[in-house]
Amino acid sequence: MQNQVTDNNNSTQKPDGSWIAELGRTIVLSIVLALGIRTFVAEARWIPSGSMEPTLHGSPNQWEADKIIVDKLSYKFSNPQRGDIVVFSPTKELQQEQYQDAFIKRIIGLPGEQVALKNGKVYINNQPLPENTYLSPSQQTVVNVCTSGPQPPFLAKSVTIPPNSYLVLGDNRNSSYDSRCWGVVPRENIIGRAIIRFWPLNNIGGIDKSPLYP
């Protein structure tokens, strides 16, 4: 039989509140772990706008919007890739326009690449980018949507993407405020990659069809 250790000589012990202390420690540990996971590993987000339609459904009402898991860990060991859907904090240009909330867009151009818009399509290093797996046929990639922000828009002419920066576009090209208008996203602004949709329940699973660029 396990010996009981006491801190007094009385044969009858009084409750010392230790279970309350233990419960408190458990709650604090749970909160710390939850915050740690959210800070360093992954977090849940919902899509507040329609800029990523039809890939992700957005709505100001979070219960009508798609909800996703954002992987915050993998980019610590590998570089973002073309086609990744990323969540990022506002760039300096966007902050100057008083944007504070995170954006979600698709990476289209990588560091060092030349990007241009021709005849409603994206050209990477003078080659058209096949985007039929995530763009509807009616979508045209033009700068006419850039009615606010810097003028002329960033992609009004061909650009070369700076080091450690990415050009991002929304899948709903007709209604997306993205790199065409205000510029590139520094890697340090990228929070993580959208990997799984967990709401609505009838559409749980991966987000994109594969392969993106056959």
Side-chain angles (χ1 to χ4, degrees), residues 3 15 40 60-61 65 68 94 101 103 113 115-116 118 121 131 133 143 151-152 170 190 192 195-198 208 212:
N3 293 327
F40 300 109
N61 181 347
I68 59 172
L94 290 171
D101 295 332
F103 279 58
E113 292 184 333
V115 182
K118 302 176 184 178
K121 295 185 180 298
E131 299 190 275
T133 57
V143 295
Q151 298 295 326
I190 296 178
I195 55 171
I196 294 174
R197 175 178 20 230
F198 68 91
D208 277 322
L212 280 182

Side-chain angles (χ1 to χ4, degrees), residues 12-71:
T12 303
Q13 285 191 310
K14 298 180 180 180
D16 59 3
S18 60
W19 68 273
I20 297 178
E22 184 63 30
L23 177 61
R25 284 193 291 268
T26 300
I27 292 174
V28 170
L29 180 60
S30 298
I31 292 173
V32 169
L33 289 174
L35 291 175
I37 290 172
R38 188 179 188 278
T39 301
F40 300 109
V41 180
E43 67 178 60
R45 287 183 176 263
W46 60 282
I47 311 301
S49 76
S51 70
M52 286 299 294
E53 300 277 2
T55 307
L56 293 169
H57 175 60
S59 171
N61 181 347
Q62 65 170 308
W63 298 109
E64 296 176 357
D66 283 1
K67 294 183 173 64
I68 59 172
I69 296 296
V70 178
D71 169 16

Side-chain angles (χ1 to χ4, degrees), residues 98-119:
Q98 307 305 312
Y99 286 99
Q100 299 178 350
D101 295 332
F103 279 58
I104 182 167
K105 306 292 179 187
R106 187 184 297 275
I107 290 179
I108 298 298
L110 305 176
E113 292 184 333
Q114 184 186 61
V115 182
L117 303 183
K118 302 176 184 178
N119 302 317

Side-chain angles (χ1 to χ4, degrees), residues 140-153:
Q140 295 283 306
T141 308
V142 295
V143 295
N144 295 351
V145 299
C146 301
T147 56
S148 63
Q151 298 295 326

Side-chain angles (χ1 to χ4, degrees), residues 117-122 135-145 171-175 180:
L117 303 183
K118 302 176 184 178
N119 302 317
K121 295 185 180 298
V122 177
L135 290 187
S136 62
S138 63
Q139 296 287 334
Q140 295 283 306
T141 308
V142 295
V143 295
N144 295 351
V145 299
D171 287 358
N172 186 359
R173 301 288 163 82
N174 297 333
S175 183
R180 290 173 291 179

